[in-house]
Amino acid sequence: MSSSATAAATPEALARYEPVIGLEVHVQLATATKIFCGCPTSFGAPPNTNVCPVCLGLPGALPVLSRKAVELAIRGALALHCRVRPHSRFARKNYFYPDLPKGYQISQYDEPLAEGGHVDIAVDGAARRIGVTRVHMEDDAGKSIHEGFADSDRYSYVDLNRCGTPLVEIVSEPDMRSSAEAYAYLTELKQALEFVAVSTCDMEKGHLRCDANVSVRLKGAEQFGTKAEVKNLNSFRFLKQALDYEIARQVALIESGGRVLQETRLYNPDTGETAAMRSKEHAHDYRYFPEPDLVPLRIGEKWLDEVKAAMPELPADKRARFIQEYGLREYDAHVLTATRSASEYYETAARVAGDSKTTANWVMGELMGLLKAEGKQIAESPVSAENLGDLVKRITAGELSGKLAKEIFARMFATGDAPAAIMEREGLKQISDAGELEGIIAEVLARNPSQVEQYRGGKTTVINFLVGQAMRATRGQADVAAVTALLKRKLRPEDTC
Amino acid sequence: MDIASLTIDGVREGLLARRFSASELATEALRFAEEENGRTNAYLHFSPERALERARRVDEQVARGEDPGPLAAVPVAVKDVIVTKGVRTTCGSKLLAHYVPPYDATAVARLERAGGVILGKTNCDEFAMGSSNENSAFGPVRNPVAPDRVPGGSSGGSAAAVAQGTAVVALGSDTGGSIRQPASFCGVVGVTPTYGRVSRYGLTAFASSLDHIGPFARTVKDAATVLGVIAGRDVCDSTSAAAPVPDYTASLDGNVKGLKLGLPREYLKELTSETGELIARGVEVLRQLGCEVREISLPATDYAIACYYIIATAEASSNLARYDGVRYTVRSGDGETLAEMYRNTRGEGFGAECKRRIMLGTYVLSAGYYDAYYLKAQKVRALIARDFADAFQEVDAIVAPVSPFPAFKLGEKIDDPVAMYLSDIYTITGSLAGIPCMSVPCGETAEGLPVGMQILTRHFDETTMFRLADALERTVGVGNARTRQRG
């Protein structure tokens, strides 16, 4: 954030005020085809190729609602604990823009798909429940490209590939009281939607976009202040920065005797500031009215039950199950359910390993450590869940020492190979064969006569030194338990006979 | 070959008896249509390549002994608001003067699959907005019966094409009377089926909740045949109905004995005396055929015009937003800004009537006015539908005039939009209720101007409507005196 942004309000002034924040989040549904036609939703196709008469808004073309899109939207609504309305309908939101070929967006207005949900968050240990006002479906517009062409000073170009991509808009209650809470809300919301496979929530591809309504009021006041709508918050970092800037701006404005205007402001990630959009750009009267080309959407109990039955487990449910079923600690369960892919990875690995706790330690410790160091997601892990499970299985079976396992794991991470292949190739097999070990131990005993003497004289702790020597001699491949047992036997004279 | 007197059955007989081939008929029909067009301006453009290609396929089917379909070789005209792949579709607007659609309307595809040969696209009021065809950007259509008079609108070109005999049947569209009124003015049969009966896919939208595609023909039987071909569920139109489509022609035996007819009191007030007398005579014919006639009341009728012009314009204001100069519409100058380009394009592109309706519709949907206008109008619409539902508890069909007066003179009402709107009074109610309704010729005035009788029935009961129209036609005769003479 720029220094001017923070300088706008003193910490004392900020402390007297309470921000009130609500978020409007647009999420792209993970369907293969568009919401009202059969065109693909794939990203990156040449401009204006994933189009047809319907999404181009050609004269006479009519929308037909995708059943799959509705099902994903229902799933998303259920994941946010919303009540799905048995009867909802679509409405036209009318405005002119070159990337809006019909001259209206098909959205939902007075009868949205679902209402009355919530998202639970925790910030600094304080749990709060943020209300979800509504979830409604709509089609996305195309993309206007204002730069990068030889005649960009005079013309803009339009790519309609994205036009008709299915979206849900999720509107929260004005329940958040800090940028940290907004951040936590968006994090939880994203996690929930990813989990139930409603959306990939890929912010870089615009699959999750966020606008915020922000106002401030003196702490203890009941009335809301005048809100500003802040747009273009398309990363978690930008959301927090923009909110902090906007809160400080409003407090400073009020403190200096000014008044917050109800307006739309655009966040500029380069400066970290928000700036009012020209009034013309947002002075819209959308003239909503029911979409006459679509029949009302009726979602009966049967359909709802089918969607529920096909619904993947929600994060909170999964967390509880991990604690119950795998005996994990709350914190571990939280980490391992942070993303759907992490939870799936863990469950697969634990199933192969047959030891849920050791697997949890390995996933959270070695695996996540190396992934983090390389800036990778768990879905990109070079070590497959099956291979990690196999490694853990060998550890718990006593086939590998922890030290050796870590060495093998590092090679697995580098090569993507299975543990058996690496052990074979590198000769990293644990030595637990008594015959092989006896020779090594005899040599250790011969080289360290004074320690042998001490042990036999009653200072039994010296055995640890001797075990260490044996391990060094085998480059760590010896089975510690077997070495210890053998040493004990050799050091007691009565046993040597 | 006398195209002007051909019916679908006549085409079929001639074709199967090898008196003419589909290609010969198409060639002759195109020649005749182009020749007649100098008098009426009924067609905006012809599609000879497509017509001859389709005719050739029919000939091949006939040669192979295959069934070429119920409309085999039948010359068809299609209103220019219905899209045709590769054939210009202007909607009577300058904005779409060069627009060539990349796909066919479902009704067009079904017509052709049944063997129909599309000769060309017919003139109409711009975006189907008008009652006289004088709002076409490409000049008005003259009524073939009386060239100084309008053919009615907005499907004036389709009605005229059928009346002059260049097409055996035609497709039109009806939002508030745009099929029935020109059918009445030109002395042909025009059908507005139940809302949802025929797919709207490919019909350029004027007012989506009121728009219908329907047939024109010279005989009731031909209209029934065409409807049978184009009707039925279409997955591309969510509002199209799955109701089964009966064989409409099967019950056209002239027997209407025992059918109960309602004559709405409210529809007899504004009639010119001649129209009133002709309708009364038509009703008398049906009574003598054994129908029971009783007077009924449709009390919400008084609010229909206001209701219609709120809902239709509201939807139109949204439907016409896409003609913005960005993609396929003719752009009038780039302008300095986007807003200027929009203003130039739409300001120069739309005719006065479209602008009037866009402004009305924008107004009634505006914040603060929505409840008072649009929402109220929807409630009135429900009342109008209830009036009909109540009436159909007592009667099987409603008979009424189509228009208070016969075809008026070109230019007579063009400067008085309210008078023009009011002339839609009898057709608008059926449109708002979404019930099937049609116009069937019922006689002529002393001047020889045709007058149609309107028949309205219950949702999806087109059969009863066709039976009554067919019975009337058997007594009154087909078409109008002048075309009959010439034919």
Side-chain angles (χ1 to χ4, degrees), chain A residues 57 59-61 92 94 101 155 285, chain B residues 103 200 202 318-319 322 327 334 367:
Chain A
R92 290 190 187 173
N94 296 283
Y155 290 101
D285 175 354
Chain B
Y103 75 105
R200 290 185 293 118
S318 174
N319 283 328
R322 66 190 65 190
R327 295 163 312 275
D334 288 348

Side-chain angles (χ1 to χ4, degrees), chain A residues 53-54 57-64 92 94 96-98 101-104 155 285 287-290 292-295, chain B residues 83 99 102-103 200-203 208 235-239 318-319 321-323 327-328 334 338 342 362 365-367 370 374:
Chain A
V54 175
L58 295 186
L62 296 171
V64 176
R92 290 190 187 173
N94 296 283
F96 285 91
Y97 206 68
K102 301 189 297 295
Y104 53 86
Y155 290 101
D285 175 354
R287 294 175 284 119
Y288 281 100
F289 72 102
D293 287 333
L294 291 168
V295 292
Chain B
V83 304
Y99 177 62
Y103 75 105
R200 290 185 293 118
Y201 191 69
L203 168 61
S208 314
V235 290
C236 293
D237 177 0
S238 311
T239 63
S318 174
N319 283 328
R322 66 190 65 190
Y323 310 111
R327 295 163 312 275
Y328 44 85
D334 288 348
L338 178 64
Y342 283 153
T362 303
L365 289 177
S366 301
Y370 179 86
Y374 188 81

Side-chain angles (χ1 to χ4, degrees), chain B residues 146-272:
Chain B
D148 58 338
R149 293 182 183 261
V150 302
S154 64
S155 312
S158 288
V162 172
Q164 75 192 5
T166 55
V168 174
V169 295
L171 291 186
S173 73
D174 190 317
T175 304
S178 283
I179 289 175
R180 289 157 285 163
Q181 188 248 25
S184 172
F185 281 15
C186 293
V188 298
V189 176
V191 177
T192 309
T194 310
Y195 184 80
R197 193 50 125 170
V198 176
S199 169
R200 290 185 293 118
Y201 191 69
L203 168 61
T204 305
F206 156 17
S208 314
S209 76
L210 293 156
D211 290 343
H212 304 67
I213 288 178
F216 287 94
R218 285 190 292 276
T219 68
V220 173
K221 188 181 177 192
D222 281 2
T225 301
V226 174
L227 184 62
V229 165
I230 62 175
R233 171 79 182 152
D234 173 19
V235 290
C236 293
D237 177 0
S238 311
T239 63
S240 77
V245 181
D247 179 354
Y248 296 123
T249 58
S251 49
L252 303 183
D253 56 5
N255 180 9
V256 290
K257 209 166 170 218
L259 284 178
K260 297 191 191 78
L261 307 184
L263 200 56
R265 188 178 304 140
E266 293 81 2
Y267 286 41
L268 305 170
K269 289 191 295 201
E270 318 282 340
L271 295 180
T272 61

Side-chain angles (χ1 to χ4, degrees), chain A residues 431 440 443-444 447 467-477:
Chain A
I431 304 164
I440 294 162
E443 209 181 310
V444 168
R447 281 189 188 172
V467 169
Q469 292 300 306
M471 292 309 287
R472 181 182 291 174
T474 59
R475 296 190 357 261
Q477 290 177 61

